[in-house]
């Protein structure tokens, strides 16, 4: 007899939800989380789309400790000396089932873990799982953590982007530098009313603001700003390979420069820095996805590359929550059937295939490759937009030439063919 | 050849605002003895905590104490330079209050 029906490794977005589903189904569950509390080791941008949580917590969705409802979607194209911003607000962004919220993981993850504990899951905090136990046939039979061996009929591995265990579980190799991005983020405290004033939003509402172009000084990556209840999150997400090999300044300097931009500095003025954090983002997409199951084990979330960076939004948390839910349900079903072999766990993969998770990730399969080679997005287009806007808005008393005469040379600078190719490429990838 | 990497920000100052339980007895990340300049430079560029440093004389240093446990250095240079990357010992390391 195993010690538990199921062991869940990691209590982030995917793990806590998987544990909740298993406990709700009446299974004995142990969660091993390396942080001293859930969220202690976790960082995100970030914004989570509500739909995934409505599906898991239909009855207590209103109790989730969100920061702000995102009412403003902003995207900026930054050149060294200009910034072009789109600020989009729409009733559709606020509708139930379509809405999204900013979160801080320390609070958010603790709430998720609480739901799992209330449903009956047991927790060990502060200890990392070092190894997966296997029987003579290679079936996963438990974990070893802090020198102890604990067994279970099924293990749900949700150890996130920097997974040290996915290789043991499903043979996933260590990701390459090209498949991962590094995120560096700072949290600045600011009173709620001040945030609402600076972002022109109603109480309880806020902005998701993404930057492309010069915030990385020309290499693959972008900037992020999210408004929390009483703080602002600001960060850089930059491709590790591109930054290591081609960037002109380190990631932390990119963040410093973003903070000092004339478009950004006023938003942070007088705000107090309270935390500096770092985390990886899997950006390889579905073509780098490992097997999701093996005998006795399922994997869900960032460790299975269930994350996309589309430039105008980053998504990983809703995929992780949904995958965690399906993993928990599938594991419970396999336990009921008395078969936690790879064949018995196939229902997890089937459920994912039929859901938005794998459908989206398939849809976005060309995004990583497209973005990585979309150099003009980081250097070229921001300058083109700047010159066009300058052509419209700069008035100095010299006679105004026809619009066509102003604009044509600017577009020619980038090249009509390039523009055509990039638009076509974007349409195909997205 | 090492690159001329310029930056003005002092990240150590920012890290001092974070909450850590530093394990004085064992390092959870270890580098090979003679890391090549080229590979080390990559880590200077990507470590979000700026823990990989080179002083004016070109001497390289690394301090695991401010580590954010992101794993970036683990994947940045293949297997060329990081000899060991483990999670810190139980209850040790960074503890985010916001995240
Ligand atoms: C800078 C940045 C911005 C982002 N912005 C967004 C955004 O705006 N929207 C969005 O949807 N997504 C965003 N993401 C991605 C999102 O944060 C992730 O996709 C999501 O958190 C993945 O959830 P997870 O459950 O797979 O992993 P995590 O939430 O990271 O959870 C993994 C858990 O496992 C634990 N763990 C790891 N190893 C072990 C071990 N050996 N033993 C025990 N426990 C272990 C960790 O402590 C952690 O609690 C962003 C990410 C970053 C870094
Ligand atoms: S894990 Fe991240 S923060 Fe720690 S040393 Fe490596 S790159 Fe720096």
């Amino acid at each position: 007899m195993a010690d538990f029906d199921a062991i869940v490794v990691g209590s982030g977005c995917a793990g806590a939800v998987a544990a909740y589903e298993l406990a709700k189904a009446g299974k004995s569950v142990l969660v091993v989380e390396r942080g001293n509390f859930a969220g202690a080791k976790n960082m995100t941008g970030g914004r989570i789309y509500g739909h995934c949580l409505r599906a898991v917590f239909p009855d207590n969705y209103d109790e989730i400790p969100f920061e702000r409802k995102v009412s403003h979607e902003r995207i900026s194209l930054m050149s060294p000396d200009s910034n072009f911003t789109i600020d989009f607000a729409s009733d559709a962004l606020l509708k139930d089932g379509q809405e999204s919220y900013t979160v801080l993981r320390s609070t958010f993850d603790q709430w998720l873990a609480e739901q799992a504990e209330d449903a009956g899951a047991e927790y060990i905090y502060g200890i990392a799982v070092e190894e997966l136990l296997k029987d003579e046939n290679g079936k996963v039979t438990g974990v070893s953590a802090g020198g102890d061996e604990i067994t279970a009929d099924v293990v749900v591995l949700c150890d996130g982007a920097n997974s040290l265990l996915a290789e043991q579980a499903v043979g996933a190799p260590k990701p390459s530098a090209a498949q991962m991005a590094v995120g560096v983020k700072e949290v600045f405290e600011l009173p709620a009313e001040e945030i609402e004033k600076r972002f022109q939003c109603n109480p309880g509402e806020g902005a998701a603001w993404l930057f492309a172009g010069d915030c990385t000084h020309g290499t693959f990556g972008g900037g992020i700003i999210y408004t929390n209840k009483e703080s602002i999150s600001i960060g850089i997400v930059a491709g590790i390979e591109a930054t290591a090999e081609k960037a002109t300044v380190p990631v932390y300097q990119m963040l410093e420069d973003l903070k000092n931009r004339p478009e950004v500095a006023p938003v942070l003025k007088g705000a107090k820095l309270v935390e500096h954090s770092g985390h990886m983002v899997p950006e390889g997409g579905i073509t780098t996805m490992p097997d999701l199951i093996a005998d006795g084990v399922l994997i869900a979330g960032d460790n299975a590359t269930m994350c996309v960076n589309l430039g105008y939004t980053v998504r990983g948390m809703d995929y992780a929550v949904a995958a965690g839910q399906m993993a928990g349900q599938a594991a419970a079903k396999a336990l009921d059937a008395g078969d936690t072999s790879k064949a018995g766990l196939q229902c997890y993969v089937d459920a994912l295939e039929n859901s938005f998770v794998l459908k989206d990730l398939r849809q976005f399969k060309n995004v990583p490759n497209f973005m990585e080679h979309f150099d003009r997005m980081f250097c070229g287009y921001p300058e083109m937009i700047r010159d066009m806007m300058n052509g419209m808005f700069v008035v100095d008393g010299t006679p105004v030439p026809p619009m066509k005469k102003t604009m044509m040379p600017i577009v020619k600078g980038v090249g009509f063919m390039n523009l055509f190719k990039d638009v076509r490429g974007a349409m195909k990838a997205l | 050849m090492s690159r001329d990497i310029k930056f003005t920000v002092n990240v150590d100052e920012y890290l001092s605002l974070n909450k850590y339980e530093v394990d004085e007895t064992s390092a959870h990340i270890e580098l090979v003895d003679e890391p090549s300049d080229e590979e080390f430079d990559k880590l200077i560029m990507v470590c979000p905590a700026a823990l990989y440093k080179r002083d004016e004389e070109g001497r390289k240093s690394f301090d695991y104490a401010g580590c954010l446990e992101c794993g970036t250095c683990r994947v940045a240079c293949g297997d060329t330079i990081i000899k060991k990357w483990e999670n810190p010992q139980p209850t040790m390391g960074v503890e985010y209050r916001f995240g």
Side-chain angles (χ1 to χ4, degrees):
Chain A
M1 255 289 280
D3 300 326
F4 289 88
D5 292 331
I7 293 175
V8 177
V9 182
S11 189
C13 298
V17 172
Y20 170 77
E21 289 293 340
L22 277 155
K24 211 177 66 170
K27 308 300 170 198
S28 65
V29 193
L30 176 72
V31 184
V32 186
E33 163 55 50
R34 73 184 190 94
N36 287 334
F37 54 84
K41 302 286 187 185
N42 303 343
M43 180 268 260
T44 192
R47 159 255 295 278
I48 184 164
Y49 292 94
H51 66 92
C52 63
L53 292 162
R54 285 184 182 275
V56 183
F57 305 108
D59 302 327
N60 49 352
Y61 181 76
D62 294 335
E63 294 162 19
I64 301 175
F66 293 126
E67 292 293 321
R68 285 172 184 271
K69 193 170 186 176
V70 176
S71 57
H72 285 255
E73 300 282 351
R74 286 190 183 174
I75 30 179
S76 288
L77 262 187
M78 223 174 217
S79 85
D81 55 354
S82 73
N83 186 49
F84 177 78
T85 301
I86 298 172
D87 183 329
F88 181 67
S90 157
D91 291 347
L93 297 175
L94 302 174
K95 266 210 197 116
D96 285 359
Q98 307 180 169
E99 84 285 27
S100 66
Y101 298 88
T102 54
V103 288
L104 289 169
R105 296 296 297 275
S106 182
T107 347
F108 179 69
D109 289 19
Q110 286 188 74
W111 187 88
L112 287 180
E114 226 169 79
Q115 306 317 301
E117 286 188 74
D118 288 350
E122 287 179 56
Y123 264 74
I124 301 180
Y125 288 108
I127 295 179
V129 168
E130 285 130 27
E131 215 182 320
L132 299 180
L133 307 176
K134 290 185 181 174
D135 67 14
E136 61 286 356
N137 300 319
K139 181 178 196 251
V140 174
T141 55
V143 303
S144 126
D148 287 328
E149 296 196 341
I150 317 164
T151 58
D153 291 325
V154 64
V155 171
V156 188
L157 185 66
C158 303
D159 59 346
N162 184 37
S163 176
L164 303 182
L165 297 170
E167 182 156 19
Q168 288 176 40
V170 294
K174 184 171 88 172
S176 75
Q179 293 164 10
M180 304 296 277
V182 53
V184 54
K185 183 179 111 167
E186 289 176 354
V187 177
F188 282 85
E189 275 182 346
L190 202 63
E193 315 81 70
E194 201 54 41
I195 293 175
E196 284 141 22
K197 235 192 284 173
R198 293 182 190 191
F199 286 84
Q200 295 163 301
C201 55
N202 294 315
E205 296 179 356
W209 190 1
L210 277 77
F211 299 83
D214 194 55
C215 43
T216 48
H217 304 306
T219 44
F220 177 48
I224 51 173
I225 288 183
Y226 295 93
T227 53
N228 307 310
K229 263 193 195 121
E230 296 194 304
S231 64
I232 293 173
S233 298
I234 177 165
I236 293 282
V237 177
I240 293 179
E241 187 183 58
T243 307
E245 287 175 5
K246 290 187 287 194
T248 51
V249 299
V251 276
Y252 38 92
Q253 185 66 43
M254 293 176 190
L255 176 53
E256 193 65 14
D257 293 347
L258 179 64
K259 280 154 48 185
N260 287 323
R261 288 279 308 202
E263 305 82 3
V264 174
V267 162
L268 294 177
K269 193 166 173 229
K272 187 171 144 231
L273 177 63
V274 287
E275 193 165 83
H276 178 98
S277 55
H279 203 283
M280 282 199 291
V281 191
E283 293 197 337
I286 196 160
T287 55
T288 61
M289 184 175 280
D291 283 345
L292 300 171
I293 47 172
D295 287 334
V297 65
L298 331 79
I299 67 171
D302 273 1
N303 59 5
T305 73
M306 296 175 184
C307 190
V308 286
N309 183 351
L310 301 174
Y312 57 88
T313 191
V314 182
R315 282 176 72 183
M317 287 191 282
D318 62 333
Y319 294 138
V321 166
Q325 183 179 28
M326 286 179 257
Q329 288 171 346
K333 203 164 142 193
L335 286 165
D336 284 338
D339 179 10
T340 54
S341 71
K342 187 171 180 180
L345 297 171
Q346 179 59 34
C347 54
Y348 169 53
V349 181
D350 296 342
L352 278 170
E353 286 284 6
N354 286 321
S355 75
F356 70 97
V357 178
L358 283 187
K359 286 184 179 161
D360 283 6
L361 290 169
R362 260 184 231 299
Q363 175 65 32
F364 296 135
K365 73 172 186 296
N366 294 323
V367 168
N369 189 43
F370 173 72
M371 289 289 184
E372 209 180 326
H373 298 101
F374 196 7
D375 292 340
R376 281 183 287 272
M377 190 63 194
F378 309 106
C379 185
Y381 288 132
E383 288 75 8
M384 180 185 91
I385 297 282
R386 171 199 61 198
D387 294 346
M388 293 169 94
M389 291 298 131
N390 279 343
M392 276 165 65
F393 292 114
V394 173
V395 173
D396 60 3
T398 52
V400 176
M403 184 72 99
K404 201 171 148 199
K405 220 171 158 183
T406 316
M407 297 300 171
M408 280 316 206
I410 299 171
V411 181
K412 264 196 194 134
V414 169
F416 284 105
M417 268 322 275
N418 286 335
L419 192 59
F420 175 73
K421 267 196 314 215
D422 287 339
V423 171
R424 200 162 156 266
M427 287 303 155
K428 269 170 85 177
L430 299 170
Chain B
M1 257 299 284
S2 56
R3 272 195 270 178
D4 181 24
I5 302 174
K6 288 206 171 58
F7 56 92
T8 54
V9 55
N10 178 359
V11 181
D12 290 348
E13 221 169 85
Y14 299 161
L15 296 181
S16 71
L17 301 168
N18 287 354
K19 186 167 180 220
Y20 291 102
E21 206 59 61
V22 178
D23 187 349
E24 310 283 356
T25 57
S26 79
H28 67 287
I29 300 174
E30 283 173 23
L31 311 190
V32 296
D33 287 338
E34 296 284 332
S36 86
D37 283 342
E38 203 181 315
E39 295 299 311
F40 193 86
D41 279 352
K42 293 184 184 174
L43 300 182
I44 298 180
M45 298 300 279
V46 296
C47 169
L51 301 176
Y52 295 87
K53 293 191 169 83
R54 185 199 307 286
D55 66 15
E56 278 107 62
E57 275 88 60
R59 278 184 303 244
K60 304 191 262 290
S61 65
F62 166 66
D63 181 6
Y64 68 90
C67 180
L68 303 169
E69 298 163 35
C70 65
T72 301
C73 57
R74 184 179 150 248
V75 307
C77 300
D79 295 319
T80 59
I81 185 165
I82 303 292
K83 192 166 71 183
K84 167 178 141 184
W85 201 109
E86 288 172 359
N87 285 311
Q89 291 299 303
T91 71
M92 296 293 176
V94 72
E95 189 171 304
Y96 291 133
R97 292 163 299 128
F98 297 89

